[in-house]
Every structure is written in C-alpha cells, then in structure tokens.
Amino acid sequence: MSDPSEHIVIVGAGAAGLMAARELARAGRKVTILEARQRCGGRIHPLPASQFGYAADGGAEFVHGEAPVTRALLREAGLSLQEIEGEQWSFDGTKLTREARDDTHEAELQAKLADLKDDLTVADFLRRHFAGDDYAPLRHSIERMVEGYDAADPERASTLALRAEWMDGGHAPQARIEGGYGAMIEAMAADCRGHGVTIRLGSVVSAIAEEGGAVIVRCAGGDVHACDRVILTVPLPLLREIALPAGARAKLAAVVDIGFGNVIKILLRFARPWWRERKEDLADMTFLLSDEAIPVWWTRYPDQHPVLTGWFGGPRTAELESLDARALIDAGLGSLAAIFGLPRDHIARELVASAATNWAHDPFARGAYSWATPRTRAAQAILARGDGLVLFSGEALYRGRDMGTVEAALATGLETALTILRGH
C-alpha cells in the first residue's frame, strides 16, 4: 500500500482531477489541486442560467451511452438525467427532411467492420471497401460523423476504435444532466473540499522537478509546492508547455499517437421557437445536420427552451480559425438563415442571448477532446504507467469505447487514484 501520509498534487480541476482528488482524499491522503482557471470544470463550462433560461453548457453537454462512472456519481450527488428524445433532420441544400435511419449500404458496412482484423484509418478503410460513386453518400455520412461527433481526422482516426459506435448504428443512448454538468462539478468540488482537499485557482503550473525523492511544482506566479507525487490531468496540447523530469518527459513522445480534436460551440437563445413556427413537423426536432458553415444544430427537446446550439468539430474548424465569438455567432445565424430559407436579419431580430467558443482558442484547453489513431492504444499504455513520481491521467488515456468523453475523464481519474492507493 502507498504511504497514507504522502502529499499528492493534482494539476487540473477538471473531471479527471476532481475524481482523483476525491478518491485520494477519502482514503486519507493530503491532496492539493492546482487549477489554471478561476473555476473548476475545465472543458466542462457552465453558463449562467439567467442568460439562457436554464443551466446551459458551453463545453461538454451530453452523457453518452451507459457511462457507469458518471451515472453512479450523479446518483450519489442526487442529480438526475433526462434522456434525449426527438427526431433527427437534414438539410441537403434545398429542402429539410427527416434523417433516414437506414442507409442502403448499412448491411455491407456492418459486414466489412465485423471482418476487420487489422486496424487502419477511417479514410483508408473507406478507400479500400467503399470507393465507388455509389458509396459517395455513405462515405459522406461516415466522414461527417467522424469529424463532427468525434472531432477526429478521418485520415488519422482508427477504424477499430470507432467500430463499436458504428456497429450499433450510431444510436447509443444520450442524456443530459438536470442542472447541467456544472451541477456535477459543483458537487465533486464540494465533496473534495469536505474531505480536506485544497483547491488553488489561478495557479498555472510551469515546471515540475524531482529533487531528493520529492517533487517540486512551480507555478507561473512564483508559487512553489513540495509534494510526494504529482498527477497531471491537463489536456494533451498543454503537456509540452510544462517542464517535466526526464522520465516523465520521455513518455511524452507517445502523445503524437493520440489524436486531439477541436470543437466550435455556439448557443443562440431566441425570443420564441421560430423554427417550429416555420415548419410544424419540426416540433420534435432534436438534431439538424447540413453542410453549412456551422453544420450541426440541436434543440433542447423535449424541453421547450427556444435555444439552438450549433456545433462544428474536427480538422475543418481551422477554416474558422480567424473568427472571434461575435463572428462565430454571425456565422451561426447565416447557417440557420440558409437552412430555413429566411433572411439573416429576420433571425437576428429574434436573438435574445448568445455565446460562442472556439475551444482551440482557449489557452487552458487548446482544443476539445481526444480520439484514437491506430497507434493510440500503445501510446496510452506508455503514458498510463504508474512508475515514477509524475503520473498522467485524463480522458485521453481511457481505453474503452467512450474515449474523449466526461465518462472517460472520470474513469481515468478514478483509475489513477486506485493505482496510487494500491501502492503501484
């Protein structure tokens, strides 16, 4: 077993950091969390209920699939889930139609996936098995899902890692937390503090060094923290910005084999749900897909809040790299105008509140979440090794099918804490 008197510093107060801190503190360890932001949550970013009429999420929003760690945590905190309902719609450039659940080539796709033994990128998989013109709609649908849903690059993304997602037709259950992910973060932070965890906000870690069997953590403002062990839970792009001991630094070479994608998220609150008035069939619309500049939208259905959320994920978000929040909101309004055949000014007049985040511009994230390449599993094994005084944790190290989710962050935070408590 590990030493009960040891002091552990955790870098990052996101889902992984809070989960690790909670478990370690409950086991009697002294824990300090150093968080660069002035809030907990990381890429979980709650927005004011006064702004959107409910506890909106500027970052992570959905609970994907079974998510056992998340659901257990929510039950413990007394928080409930609302399952996603409604219909998915598409705009093909001329008209709105309900999204077809079954593709003409679905059975063939499932067979090729089932037969796949050796991993290859999604782009190579499509070129090898679905290259003809007849398959163009299937290729477009898969590429749109890989880029939009997974924020991944089809030229690098692992087919085997995404196979389970495809084999269930991409229809795994999804839900939202009543009160948003922010309510979960608040409960976790309160639990941590209740067990003696010190959470220091505005602490940007710049260097970690091993000196005489101890660890020294230095922050940009000059603060220094001595401890016995460090857990790094920051997003992958930030790892190279922290000076690390030689052993930990050597592991970072593996990071290039783990994908990390970007997302642009736009929330628009309107005075009324004008899209339902435009077309009565849209009363139960949940998701809306198109090829416009902001290609994915969703409603709050079955809630009736007049809010549309825009989403643009994957490498093509670089096309909007130069746009600030105001320009992103304008791009969102332009996309909706094209989809619904309305003047942009007509939609803009209905706008009550708005928010937009390009997560690549966030200095403490530099993107949204991770995804797997064919070499990711080997890279994760290197980074997740519990040897040394500096440990890595976070959603990028999750080896299950829900990589890149809050569930992944929570699960790896828990796993890292257990590794320490077991004395590894």
Side-chain angles (χ1 to χ4, degrees):
M1 297 291 288
S2 62
D3 182 356
S5 67
E6 69 178 336
H7 177 203
I8 300 160
V9 166
I10 297 174
V11 182
L18 289 173
M19 184 59 128
R22 189 181 91 125
E23 296 305 311
L24 290 166
R26 284 181 168 187
R29 303 303 184 270
K30 179 182 178 181
V31 180
T32 300
I33 299 178
L34 302 177
E35 168 54 51
R37 303 177 191 273
Q38 293 297 335
R39 61 171 179 82
C40 294
R43 287 163 281 173
I44 291 173
H45 183 202
L47 300 173
S50 59
Q51 187 176 8
F52 290 97
Y54 64 97
D57 288 299
E61 178 173 343
F62 298 104
V63 176
H64 301 282
E66 298 303 320
V69 180
T70 303
R71 290 174 186 261
L73 189 62
L74 295 176
R75 285 193 298 271
E76 185 179 327
L79 298 171
S80 58
L81 285 169
Q82 181 183 60
E83 300 295 328
I84 302 301
E85 303 175 18
E87 293 293 321
Q88 184 167 295
W89 287 71
S90 290
F91 176 68
D92 64 2
T94 58
K95 64 183 183 301
L96 282 163
T97 56
R98 292 183 191 273
E99 184 88 346
R101 292 286 184 179
D102 297 314
D103 187 274
T104 305
H105 305 290
E106 181 68 23
E108 190 176 355
L109 172 63
Q110 300 285 351
K112 294 296 184 184
L113 289 170
D115 289 341
L116 190 63
K117 299 296 188 296
D118 298 319
D119 203 0
L120 66 166
T121 69
V122 171
D124 284 341
F125 173 79
L126 294 176
R127 281 190 285 263
R128 182 175 300 180
H129 299 292
F130 299 98
D133 291 343
D134 289 348
Y135 295 117
L138 175 67
R139 290 196 304 272
H140 178 68
S141 175
I142 289 174
E143 288 166 356
R144 182 168 65 178
M145 182 187 72
V146 170
E147 292 183 348
Y149 182 81
D150 298 291
D153 182 352
E155 293 290 347
R156 294 189 64 217
S158 160
T159 302
L160 285 180
L162 296 170
R163 178 166 63 180
E165 186 178 307
W166 292 344
M167 292 295 276
D168 70 11
H171 304 307
Q174 296 191 87
R176 290 188 183 94
I177 301 170
E178 297 281 2
Y181 266 117
M184 184 191 79
I185 292 296
E186 285 182 10
M188 294 180 73
D191 194 359
C192 284
R193 291 188 174 103
H195 284 87
V197 176
T198 299
I199 301 177
R200 298 186 182 276
L201 303 177
S203 297
V204 181
V205 172
S206 58
I208 299 171
E210 295 181 10
E211 298 179 6
V215 186
I216 305 299
V217 182
R218 293 183 172 86
C219 296
D223 289 344
V224 178
H225 302 268
C227 61
D228 299 292
R229 204 171 327 202
V230 171
I231 303 174
L232 277 168
T233 70
V234 300
L236 292 183
L238 301 183
L239 289 175
R240 290 194 178 88
E241 299 183 9
I242 301 173
L244 297 173
R249 190 168 62 249
K251 293 181 182 180
L252 287 188
V255 167
V256 298
D257 292 325
I258 302 176
F260 191 81
N262 186 40
V263 161
I264 292 170
K265 190 173 184 182
I266 303 168
L267 286 89
L268 304 178
R269 179 185 180 185
F270 297 97
R272 58 195 177 88
W274 51 265
W275 55 94
R276 293 204 295 265
E277 299 168 7
R278 180 75 172 170
K279 186 176 176 64
E280 288 185 6
D281 287 352
L282 299 180
D284 62 352
M285 179 180 73
T286 299
F287 290 96
L288 171 59
L289 310 181
S290 76
D291 288 323
E292 298 299 320
I294 306 300
V296 180
W297 294 89
W298 61 75
T299 69
R300 290 287 301 179
Y301 185 83
D303 287 347
Q304 299 301 305
H305 296 288
V307 175
L308 289 174
T309 298
W311 177 273
F312 185 19
R316 291 192 304 116
T317 56
E319 298 168 8
L320 304 184
E321 171 68 21
S322 64
L323 301 188
D324 61 12
R326 181 66 258 174
L328 288 175
I329 291 164
D330 287 341
L333 292 171
S335 295
L336 291 174
I339 291 169
F340 289 97
L342 292 170
R344 182 196 169 284
D345 290 346
H346 177 87
I347 297 176
R349 283 195 296 270
E350 298 286 339
L351 193 62
V352 172
S354 59
T357 301
N358 182 341
W359 281 94
H361 292 172
D362 186 296
F364 303 124
R366 306 287 173 82
Y369 47 81
S370 58
W371 43 270
T373 74
R375 297 170 61 89
T376 287
R377 294 295 178 259
Q380 289 173 323
I382 293 170
L383 286 166
R385 284 203 310 257
D387 55 335
L389 302 181
V390 179
L391 283 70
F392 298 93
S393 190
E395 47 87 21
L397 301 188
Y398 187 65
R399 281 172 263 190
R401 60 164 291 185
D402 295 317
M403 183 180 179
T405 63
V406 176
E407 170 73 8
L410 294 171
T412 54
L414 176 59
E415 182 179 308
T416 304
L418 293 176
T419 294
I420 291 175
L421 295 174
R422 290 167 182 159
H424 298 300

